[in-house]
Amino acid sequence: MASLVPPPKLYTDDVSLIVIILDTNPFFWGTLSNTSALTFSFSKFLNHMIPFVNSLLLLNQLNHVVLIASGVASCGYIYDSATAVASDGGQKVPAVCSEILSRLEEFVAKDQRLGKGDLRTVAGSMSSLFSGALSLALCYIQRVFRSGMQHPQPRILCLQGSPDGPEQYVAVMNAIFSAQRSMVPIDSCVLGMQHSAFLQQASYITGGVYLKPQQLDGLFEYFTAVFATDLQSRTFLELPRPVGVDFRASCFCHKKTIDMGYVCSVCLSIFCKHHKKCSTCGSDFSHGHSELDRKRKHSEV
Amino acid sequence: MAANGDEKRSRREDAGGEEEEEEEEENGGMIMEAWERAYADERSWESLQEDESGLLRPLDTASILHAHYRRRLLRRASAPASSRIQKGLIRYLYLVIDLSRAASETDYRPSRMVLVSKGVETFVREFFDQNPLSHIGLVIIKDGVAHRLTDLGGTPDSQIKVLMGKRECSGEASLQNALELVRDYLGQVPSYGHREVLILYSSLNTCDPGDIMETIEKCKKDKIRCSVVGLSAEIYICKYLCEETGGSYTVALDESHFKELLLEHAPPPAAIAEYAAANLIKMGFPQRGADGVIAICSCHKEAKVGGGYTCPRCKARICELPTECRLCGLTLVSSPHLARSYHHLFPVTPFNEVTSMLLNKSNRKTSQTCFGCQQSLGNHGSTSLHVSCPKCNQLFCLDCDMYIHESLHNCPGCESQRESRSYDAKA
């Protein structure tokens, strides 16, 4: 693989590294194209996405685009504009298109093969491995940070459709905090029916843009109008406002959203009622009493 | 100058202990020229190392850094043998800073005091990043007395600002006065909290009004975990204090070592079961206020438009989370604050080191790039060392290894697999 930066390039503040996370979940795309109201298939989506990748590369000759697919059973790199230049010399549009398509086809086939075993599980609510793809994107961005004092401004764009996988919560939050620490905004474009709580939080915490397009047929316009703008230009533009994010927690016992609850001091599990014993870590709460600290407060005041 | 560096280096190797005396002699006896002093002060010979054939080479900082990191990681992983580690996630920590005369010494550059205050700044930020539900307070010792700078609180900026305004050192240090003061304040902390004291000690002595052994005994009884980072030599009383109370005592060698030792106290320590009673803490998860609503916040007593949070119990307006409600005392957090601490409970398993020899044998030419960042592992700098995750067997480069364990807290390989997910136990 060619090294990332051959002799020092002049990176101005509008040069971007855009890591696009692509949801290739066949269950999601299957249901989306089958619904009568919306006829939007994966190939139609690619018709919007690939021109968008090209236009990003056109915006600035130093712009750098990386595509990562998040499938049902695996995640993988699909396209990297830095290495693509090295292999065929010129950046021809058909070459970009065919490379993305062929690698994507490979990936989807492999993903299907890998996932064979446990796809018997509830297919309707099958989530894609968003946490893995996000982790890969962040690792790649760290490599760009390491490449030298000057580097393109990185950001992540998530094109997500499938529902959130609750089992990924901790991993996704870890990745979001890491992105926040390295000041990488996570933009998200939700293609599915419902809002994604993961992506809302990701964009809110990292200062990215969250958008759920009304008209999927106009996806390319949404892409170019909102997600193509570099971080420098965003300060001058009126982009979609951050939506109010619900930061209330849901309890571990009934999965209800609560605004007041009990938290285990050992493992931070959340419960809606006072329990005798923590169901997660097994701590015994019988000798302590939660009212104790309230009394302390009173005596202090 | 290279020859000079060479000479000093070899002298350092064979003389060992003598070396320091010689240096002193050099500094004291002869008057150095300004240009000589520049070299002596920067200790330029320390950035060189000898290779197998006896030639001098610049220090390979990357590999040393990684070796340091590996040691840290393995130590952290080996300490608790059981799979379920209990960590003291809710900490009440008093940071005691020694600002006695000894802190004005300039053996650390520019001086011990400046180094300590800079270190405290990074430490406080890192501490709140890693322990969002914890509280920190500052205490200084000077002129033989201990003085509390800040109350236990949750905002890093105000703490740092207060310290920066108080940077003067004079008089003697008193360990006993500091411990008595802190013990007094930590008595009010709720029973589920982990009481900790971290002392940054520059002095070589302690001037106490009474018997310090009694104070140490009382700290032990009150379950206060005392740790000391020393800036001079090891002192018996500090060692005894840490041993008795279950803390750690470390002495810094140089500036970077001091930072490293200090930051080791940022991640939550393994909890000592009887030190803090497990308890259910009542917490509120406030919702963000709607845009355009005017309300007076209870923290600054100012009218604010939009934003802010509302306490679910008493409906008071609060500007920032996490905090405690000023009116009803309810702990107010948001779910991301809790999530920020989860990685301490589910750490990423340390990766195994793999040499490239092994790789070639098993004919895995196809996966010769780092799974995380796609960097090729073949000609990565001078080192041909990689790591692999014991669970998913993916290969990673050393940089990704560090990033994954220090910041990301996810293994990208394991997260990219459907089976054997490490968080199953959680749900």
Side-chain angles (χ1 to χ4, degrees):
Chain A
M1 193 179 285
S3 73
L4 203 64
V5 258
K9 287 176 182 172
L10 190 66
Y11 286 115
T12 47
D13 51 11
D14 58 345
V15 180
S16 313
L17 160 68
I18 304 109
V19 183
I20 302 177
I21 296 176
L22 203 62
D23 191 356
T24 60
N25 188 343
F27 298 103
F28 161 70
W29 289 108
T31 45
L32 196 64
S33 53
N34 286 341
T35 327
S36 52
L38 291 153
T39 45
F40 196 78
S41 60
F42 190 56
S43 59
K44 267 192 183 170
F45 165 72
L46 288 179
N47 285 342
H48 291 278
M49 211 253 336
I50 292 172
F52 173 60
V53 171
N54 279 317
S55 50
L56 284 174
L57 294 170
L58 272 174
L59 269 174
N60 192 315
Q61 60 151 343
L62 292 177
N63 269 0
H64 183 172
V65 181
V66 176
L67 276 181
I68 297 175
S70 70
V72 211
S74 61
C75 297
Y77 286 90
I78 297 293
Y79 173 76
D80 183 339
S81 67
T83 51
V85 175
S87 62
D88 57 25
Q91 189 83 15
K92 296 188 195 85
V93 170
V96 173
C97 184
S98 68
E99 191 181 341
I100 294 178
L101 287 178
S102 66
R103 295 286 301 272
L104 205 55
E105 203 177 299
E106 242 171 71
F107 174 80
V108 171
K110 192 176 135 233
D111 191 37
Q112 195 185 8
R113 216 170 43 243
L114 283 171
K116 270 273 160 59
D118 41 12
L119 292 196
R120 281 166 282 118
T121 47
V122 228
S125 63
M126 198 60 153
S127 55
S128 48
L129 292 167
F130 177 58
S131 60
L134 201 56
S135 306
L136 285 181
L138 286 165
C139 280
Y140 193 92
I141 287 170
Q142 288 302 312
R143 176 181 150 195
V144 173
F145 279 144
R146 288 194 297 267
S147 66
M149 285 303 284
Q150 283 199 325
H151 51 75
Q153 293 296 314
R155 64 177 193 266
I156 299 174
L157 170 59
C158 306
L159 305 174
Q160 192 76 6
S162 34
D164 297 337
E167 76 282 358
Q168 294 174 31
Y169 177 71
V170 177
V172 169
M173 290 313 276
N174 283 343
I176 292 173
F177 294 134
S178 186
Q180 185 196 18
R181 266 196 292 274
S182 23
M183 310 230 269
V184 177
I186 302 176
D187 295 333
S188 33
C189 182
V190 176
L191 311 165
M193 304 295 167
Q194 317 101 338
H195 281 285
S196 157
F198 281 177
L199 289 177
Q200 277 178 337
Q201 300 211 10
S203 298
Y204 183 83
I205 293 173
T206 59
V209 181
Y210 175 87
L211 185 73
K212 187 176 176 302
Q214 303 295 312
Q215 282 280 326
L216 285 183
D217 289 327
L219 206 54
F220 181 73
E221 278 77 12
Y222 285 112
F223 281 162
T224 46
V226 178
F227 298 113
T229 40
D230 58 86
L231 301 181
Q232 174 68 13
S233 313
R234 284 184 189 195
T235 46
F236 309 112
L237 293 172
E238 190 77 14
L239 290 174
R241 281 165 170 277
V243 278
V245 183
D246 193 356
F247 277 135
R248 285 181 302 170
S250 53
C251 67
F252 286 20
C253 37
H254 306 95
K255 306 275 171 217
K256 275 192 302 194
T257 307
I258 50 172
D259 53 9
M260 236 194 293
Y262 294 91
V263 175
C264 168
S265 69
V266 177
C267 66
L268 304 183
S269 305
I270 307 162
F271 303 103
C272 57
K273 275 193 257 132
H274 198 285
H275 289 248
K276 285 243 162 54
K277 203 174 173 212
C278 175
S279 59
T280 315
C281 68
S283 303
D284 189 15
F285 305 130
S286 50
H287 47 274
H289 206 274
S290 68
E291 298 300 298
L292 211 117
D293 67 315
R294 209 193 297 172
K295 264 185 215 147
R296 176 186 64 93
K297 276 286 147 208
H298 276 296
S299 62
E300 237 178 56
V301 169
Chain B
M1 201 56 223
N4 192 2
D6 192 358
E7 195 188 304
K8 275 191 178 158
R9 164 125 205 117
S10 60
R11 212 196 286 160
R12 174 167 260 233
E13 294 229 309
D14 49 42
E18 267 175 56
E19 195 253 2
E20 283 195 344
E21 288 165 37
E22 272 185 37
E23 260 214 65
E24 257 171 43
E25 239 175 60
E26 203 175 85
N27 289 340
M30 283 189 287
I31 298 147
M32 277 196 290
E33 302 286 344
W35 65 269
E36 276 182 308
R37 209 158 38 230
Y39 282 105
D41 285 358
E42 280 166 25
R43 303 182 195 175
S44 54
W45 59 93
E46 281 184 359
S47 59
L48 291 172
Q49 69 176 8
E50 215 169 337
D51 66 4
E52 306 84 56
S53 49
L55 293 168
L56 286 179
R57 278 195 321 196
L59 219 57
D60 189 355
T61 39
S63 69
I64 287 181
L65 247 145
H66 189 261
H68 268 274
Y69 145 78
R70 291 286 304 181
R71 223 179 308 138
R72 213 159 53 224
L73 181 74
L74 292 176
R75 189 168 54 216
R76 213 183 301 162
S78 64
S82 63
S83 59
R84 266 220 194 281
I85 325 146
Q86 293 206 341
K87 298 269 182 147
L89 293 175
I90 301 172
R91 307 165 69 184
Y92 290 84
L93 177 103
Y94 265 109
L95 199 57
V96 178
I97 301 152
D98 175 6
L99 289 182
S100 64
R101 212 167 32 237
S104 59
E105 296 233 5
T106 54
D107 51 350
Y108 293 82
R109 294 181 191 285
S111 76
R112 287 185 187 178
M113 179 185 65
V114 174
L115 179 71
V116 166
S117 55
K118 272 194 193 144
V120 168
E121 185 177 347
T122 32
F123 172 77
V124 171
R125 289 189 198 287
E126 182 69 18
F127 179 84
F128 282 115
D129 192 56
Q130 300 225 21
N131 315 278
L133 302 175
S134 300
H135 301 257
I136 216 168
L138 298 180
V139 168
I140 53 168
I141 346 175
K142 69 179 351 173
D143 299 325
V145 287
H147 172 65
R148 186 168 71 154
L149 276 188
T150 54
D151 200 356
L152 281 172
T155 44
D157 291 308
S158 60
Q159 310 267 0
I160 292 161
K161 222 170 88 189
V162 175
L163 177 70
M164 289 306 165
K166 292 273 182 187
R167 290 195 304 176
E168 288 156 3
C169 35
S170 62
E172 300 289 331
S174 166
L175 210 51
Q176 192 191 13
N177 281 341
L179 287 175
E180 284 288 350
L181 184 85
V182 168
R183 204 176 63 81
D184 211 31
Y185 286 122
L186 283 178
Q188 303 161 359
V189 160
S191 62
Y192 55 79
H194 288 260
R195 283 158 283 252
E196 287 176 62
V197 185
L198 175 58
I199 304 167
L200 309 178
Y201 209 63
S202 301
S203 305
L204 273 173
N205 59 334
T206 161
C207 271
D208 297 329
D211 185 2
I212 189 163
M213 293 303 180
E214 275 174 27
T215 312
I216 293 176
E217 204 52 45
K218 277 191 233 161
C219 286
K220 194 181 170 187
K221 218 172 73 209
D222 286 357
K223 294 161 185 167
I224 299 172
R225 184 180 190 269
C226 306
S227 303
V228 181
V229 178
L231 282 97
S232 41
E234 185 177 300
I235 314 165
Y236 172 72
I237 195 69
C238 295
K239 195 175 177 186
Y240 178 76
L241 168 71
C242 299
E243 272 174 8
E244 281 297 296
T245 58
S248 73
Y249 181 40
T250 44
V251 177
L253 295 169
D254 54 32
E255 290 87 348
S256 60
H257 190 228
F258 172 74
K259 282 241 161 90
E260 199 182 302
L261 292 178
L262 186 56
L263 289 179
E264 264 174 31
H265 291 275
I272 305 170
E274 66 268 28
Y275 264 37
N279 206 339
L280 279 177
I281 312 158
K282 192 156 193 178
M283 286 194 188
F285 303 95
Q287 262 184 303
R288 255 192 102 74
D291 282 330
V293 178
I294 303 172
I296 297 176
C297 75
S298 62
C299 25
H300 303 91
K301 318 266 187 303
E302 277 168 28
K304 298 225 168 126
V305 183
Y309 302 86
T310 315
C311 170
R313 188 152 73 184
C314 66
K315 310 287 178 228
R317 177 61 72 97
I318 299 103
C319 288
E320 270 185 359
L321 295 181
T323 184
E324 265 175 30
C325 178
R326 291 288 173 108
L327 297 186
C328 64
L330 184 68
T331 310
L332 301 172
V333 293
S334 68
S335 48
H337 287 125
L338 296 178
R340 214 178 253 277
S341 300
Y342 285 148
H343 74 83
H344 295 302
L345 303 167
F346 309 100
V348 185
T349 39
F351 293 169
N352 298 328
E353 287 187 1
V354 184
T355 50
S356 47
M357 294 261 290
L358 216 83
L359 277 173
N360 290 339
K361 249 184 231 163
S362 53
N363 275 333
R364 286 164 66 184
K365 289 229 166 70
T366 43
S367 55
Q368 280 284 37
T369 54
C370 166
F371 184 78
C373 67
Q374 295 288 291
Q375 191 149 33
S376 80
L377 294 173
N379 47 4
H380 175 247
S382 55
T383 51
S384 56
L385 201 67
H386 339 297
V387 288
S388 78
C389 171
K391 278 190 189 152
C392 61
N393 291 323
Q394 299 288 2
L395 293 175
F396 294 96
C397 64
L398 300 186
D399 294 312
C400 278
D401 178 22
M402 256 165 105
Y403 174 65
I404 288 165
H405 285 94
E406 308 258 279
S407 173
L408 185 62
H409 305 297
N410 280 339
C411 170
C414 299
E415 288 306 318
S416 307
Q417 280 178 351
R418 191 45 82 172
E419 55 267 71
S420 73
R421 299 189 62 89
S422 45
Y423 301 114
D424 277 349
K426 175 103 201 121

